[in-house]
Amino acid sequence: AIMWVHFLTPFPLMTHAIPITATLTAVLGLLLVFLGLNISRYRMKFKIGLGDGGNFVLNKAIRAHGYTAEHAPIFILLTLVYEIVVGSTGFLMGCATVFVLARLLFIYGMFSYTGKRASNPRMYSSSVNYAVQLVLAVALLVQVFVST
């Protein structure tokens, strides 16, 4: 028997009690990998090892990754705690879906931004991003205080 196979199988008591959080984490993890690879691609293309070297395209790639890395962890944590406290609900699935779509719209806005005027996709997606985080945080507080 090969011992490493045991690491690939779930523990006997492990269940999929947090499917929304698990799916959200996987999707955002893949998105961050894609965005990180995009930065590496531009670093090799423009031969810039550190920082953005004043390169507008590389700066946009770095910021698209950075903003996602800033917002994803707190939203994943909110999702996890809500799912543990309340369960897997349609409301939570809706919040997670809106969050991911807002992140994708933001990334589109970053990549299509020319620097000449404000980017509407970025502005709209940022507003939606903050709103869905606020809604989920308030909903979690309500659940905590109503159930105690």
Side-chain angles (χ1 to χ4, degrees):
I2 300 172
M3 296 303 287
W4 61 270
V5 172
H6 295 287
F7 293 111
L8 301 177
T9 58
F11 292 104
L13 298 176
M14 201 179 243
T15 62
H16 297 286
I18 53 167
I20 296 171
T21 303
T23 304
L24 176 68
T25 303
V27 169
L28 292 175
L30 289 171
L31 183 59
L32 283 166
V33 167
F34 164 76
L35 292 170
L37 288 171
N38 193 47
I39 292 169
S40 296
R41 178 175 68 99
Y42 283 132
R43 286 192 184 287
M44 288 187 284
K45 178 179 179 179
F46 299 123
K47 297 178 177 38
I48 300 170
L50 188 62
D52 64 16
N55 184 293
F56 184 66
V57 173
L58 180 55
N59 181 268
K60 291 190 310 180
I62 291 169
R63 291 317 316 144
H65 180 267
Y67 291 142
T68 301
E70 290 168 6
H71 290 278
I74 189 65
F75 191 78
I76 290 169
L77 186 58
L78 284 167
T79 303
L80 173 64
V81 174
Y82 188 93
E83 195 163 20
I84 290 170
V85 171
V86 180
S88 303
T89 65
F91 167 75
L92 185 60
M93 179 57 90
C95 286
T97 301
V98 168
F99 183 83
V100 170
L101 292 175
R103 286 286 83 209
L104 292 173
L105 182 61
F106 181 86
I107 292 164
Y108 167 77
M110 282 298 293
F111 291 150
S112 64
Y113 180 59
T114 62
K116 298 187 187 299
R117 59 182 173 80
S119 171
N120 287 337
R122 281 183 24 223
M123 290 188 304
Y124 296 144
S125 65
S126 292
S127 298
V128 170
N129 201 74
Y130 289 124
V132 74
Q133 287 183 44
L134 179 65
V135 165
L136 188 53
V138 169
L140 182 57
L141 279 174
V142 167
Q143 288 296 324
V144 168
F145 287 112
V146 167
S147 66
T148 56

